[in-house]
Amino acid sequence: MTKNYFLLVKEKNFLYFFIATLIGVLGEGMFGLTSIVLILSKTGSAFEVGKMFVLTLFPSVILAPFAGVLIDRYDKRKIAVLCNLVRLIAILIIPVSFYAGVFTISIFSISIFFSYIAWYILEPTKESILKSILDKDHYQQGIALVQGAWQVGLLASAVIAGIVIDWIGVEFSILISGMTYLPAAIFFLLIKRPQIPLTVEQESHPFSLKKYTNVFWEGWTYFLQNKKAKFFILTTSVTLPYFYGINVLIAPFNHHVLNGTGTTLGLIDSGAGIGSLLSAMICTFLAAKMNSQKYLFASIILLGVSTVLFSLTNSVLVAFFTYIIIGFFIGNVKVLSRTLVFDFVEEKFIGRVMTTVSLLSLAQAIIMSLLVSYLADKSILFSYITISFLLIFPLLYTIMGIKAAKEAARYDQSSRKEHFFRGKTI
């Protein structure tokens, strides 16, 4: 493994991917935070914020399983470009309606509906592109660097959105967020085709419904039978609902507990970006030295502890630093669990596997958003404790994944020895 950890950035395909991700996350961070502020200002209810999150998730739950087949078969760049352009148009509907004086919650809901269908097709597409442009020795470094791009984007977006909301208004913040998807689309288009070449069978046979069904079930069978990857896939699927859970709570916590403003909300939310950026740096530089499985297990435990500590703060400054710690451990869980999935999943299945992750994540995020937003209207502290307690599930998944990986390693070693001695006998 190369000692120059940033050598990947010199590779054009990875560089274009990195920049596209950074720009896209900047837009998503601004749009997500501004949407929360918009709904909370219109309704005053955390539960309404939770319902908004459900609206962002539900359509994608239906589409996620089917998107993987298309991602594994067709030009991933073009799918990514199309998704970015759909988001651009869908999000710009909101500020245009503001300036035209016809904005309603219904228009906002339509925008959310279409923009997040595109978003949750885009995310597994990006995972598939990343897998195809990295070699095995650079999975963790590449994922960590992209995670760093995520966190720089989230950090910058939180600060920018908070200031813009206070000084110019929510409509301008949403306008900026929508416009970011145009340059992101351009950078995805610059990536040279990273898809797996079609086999002779694929080229000679049209993609019929029967063929689609076979490929779809092939992906699910692979997921269910791959014991090494299955449990780490389940762990990976928890990061999104956890992120949604604390996102639902951050604005009510800032308003009701800290008596904060849009600027303080942006400051605290940026703490998660700083923490996850630190996580990405550590995962990048220590990729060859750390035991990913044990570090993942410890990070899940410490994530729960730091979340409870955050809920007990009543100072903006303390909340900011505590949120840095939360972001650090969320970053660890995201990078390490994805690294293990990449290690144990063949490239030709990565699109279908990552859309499986997306499906599981979306379903859990719907439940999490409704649960914590309902509890938040009664007790914000109890909501945070509930989120932390639910981390028992990824802990169990990780334990079972470690066990399955060890069993597979022993089996492989035993098979190699048996093969060796058979060769000796012959």
Side-chain angles (χ1 to χ4, degrees):
M1 183 177 291
T2 179
K3 292 183 180 180
N4 185 352
Y5 294 104
F6 291 98
L7 186 63
L8 280 173
V9 181
K10 296 181 180 179
E11 297 292 330
K12 285 187 177 180
N13 272 352
F14 183 80
L15 179 61
Y16 295 148
F17 181 89
F18 182 87
I19 295 172
T21 299
L22 176 59
I23 296 172
V25 174
L26 177 64
E28 169 59 16
M30 290 188 67
F31 183 61
L33 190 66
T34 307
S35 296
I36 293 171
V37 172
L38 177 62
I39 291 295
L40 200 61
S41 66
K42 296 289 185 182
T43 65
S45 170
F47 189 61
E48 291 299 322
V49 175
K51 286 166 62 178
M52 180 200 75
F53 278 119
V54 171
L55 183 62
T56 70
L57 297 166
F58 184 72
S60 305
V61 172
I62 300 171
L63 292 176
F66 307 102
V69 177
L70 301 177
I71 293 168
D72 281 337
R73 186 176 178 88
Y74 295 112
D75 190 335
K76 301 169 178 63
R77 299 171 312 154
K78 292 181 180 178
I79 296 173
V81 169
L82 179 61
C83 288
N84 275 277
L85 294 178
V86 170
R87 290 218 88 195
L88 168 69
I89 295 169
I91 291 174
L92 290 183
I93 290 172
I94 299 173
V96 168
S97 68
F98 261 116
Y99 295 128
V102 295
F103 174 80
T104 64
I105 293 297
S106 296
I107 291 175
F108 177 76
S109 300
I110 292 170
S111 169
I112 288 284
F113 182 88
F114 286 105
S115 65
Y116 278 95
I117 285 177
W119 174 255
Y120 287 112
I121 294 174
L122 176 61
E123 287 307 292
T125 302
K126 286 162 60 179
E127 300 277 6
S128 187
I129 292 174
L130 183 61
K131 167 81 173 181
S132 63
I133 62 179
L134 293 175
D135 58 66
K136 186 176 177 61
D137 290 338
H138 295 100
Y139 285 167
Q140 185 160 315
Q141 293 176 24
I143 294 170
L145 285 170
V146 172
Q147 177 69 6
W150 258 87
Q151 304 318 321
V152 169
L154 289 177
L155 169 61
S157 66
V159 174
I160 294 170
I163 294 173
V164 171
I165 289 168
D166 276 351
W167 289 89
I168 305 178
V170 293
E171 64 276 9
F172 193 74
S173 181
I174 292 177
L175 176 64
I176 295 174
S177 70
M179 292 303 298
T180 60
Y181 288 98
L182 182 57
I186 293 171
F187 278 104
F188 274 119
L189 193 60
L190 291 174
I191 297 173
K192 292 185 178 179
R193 296 177 64 121
Q195 69 202 62
I196 305 169
L198 297 179
T199 64
V200 174
E201 180 186 0
Q202 288 174 322
E203 290 177 341
S204 60
H205 291 83
F207 199 50
S208 63
L209 178 61
K210 182 179 179 181
K211 180 69 175 176
Y212 172 86
T213 303
N214 290 339
V215 174
F216 174 80
W217 286 114
E218 181 187 27
W220 273 94
T221 301
Y222 178 84
F223 162 67
L224 294 172
Q225 292 180 349
N226 190 337
K227 292 183 179 180
K228 291 186 294 184
K230 179 168 60 178
F231 294 114
F232 293 118
I233 288 171
L234 292 171
T235 300
T236 302
S237 73
V238 174
T239 55
L240 178 69
Y242 197 87
F243 185 72
Y244 263 73
I246 62 173
N247 265 359
V248 168
L249 296 175
I250 184 65
F253 181 84
N254 174 70
H255 180 70
H256 297 297
V257 178
L258 301 178
N259 298 314
T261 64
T263 302
T264 61
L265 175 62
L267 174 66
I268 295 169
D269 197 42
S270 70
I274 295 172
S276 290
L277 180 59
L278 293 173
S279 166
M281 292 170 63
I282 289 175
C283 289
T284 299
F285 289 108
L286 300 182
K289 299 179 181 179
M290 67 171 61
N291 184 316
S292 297
Q293 297 173 11
K294 291 181 180 179
Y295 193 35
L296 172 61
F297 180 81
S299 294
I300 295 171
I301 294 176
L302 294 171
L303 175 59
V305 173
S306 58
T307 302
V308 173
L309 291 176
F310 174 81
S311 69
L312 299 175
T313 63
N314 55 14
S315 160
V316 171
L317 189 60
V318 175
F320 168 69
F321 284 110
T322 311
Y323 225 56
I324 292 177
I325 298 172
I326 290 175
F328 178 78
F329 291 120
I330 286 180
N332 286 351
V333 173
K334 187 172 183 180
V335 170
L336 297 171
S337 61
R338 272 170 165 72
T339 298
L340 291 167
V341 171
F342 272 37
D343 281 342
F344 297 138
V345 174
E346 298 174 55
E347 184 176 345
K348 66 179 181 179
F349 288 104
I350 196 68
R352 280 165 284 178
V353 166
M354 294 317 296
T355 50
T356 299
V357 171
S358 180
L359 172 65
L360 296 172
S361 297
L362 293 165
Q364 292 175 86
I366 288 175
I367 298 170
M368 180 73 84
S369 298
L370 290 175
L371 175 64
V372 300
S373 60
Y374 172 77
L375 293 175
D377 280 336
K378 301 179 182 298
S379 171
I380 293 177
L381 173 60
F382 187 65
S383 293
Y384 277 111
I385 293 173
T386 300
I387 291 177
S388 300
F389 176 76
L390 292 174
L391 287 174
I392 189 68
F393 293 105
L395 271 177
L396 293 175
Y397 299 149
T398 302
I399 291 171
M400 290 186 284
I402 293 171
K403 183 180 177 181
K406 287 181 178 178
E407 289 176 353
R410 284 197 296 267
Y411 177 78
D412 290 343
Q413 186 177 16
S414 175
S415 296
R416 284 195 296 270
K417 285 182 179 179
E418 184 179 349
H419 180 74
F420 174 77
F421 285 119
R422 280 182 179 176
K424 282 279 194 177
T425 304
I426 294 171

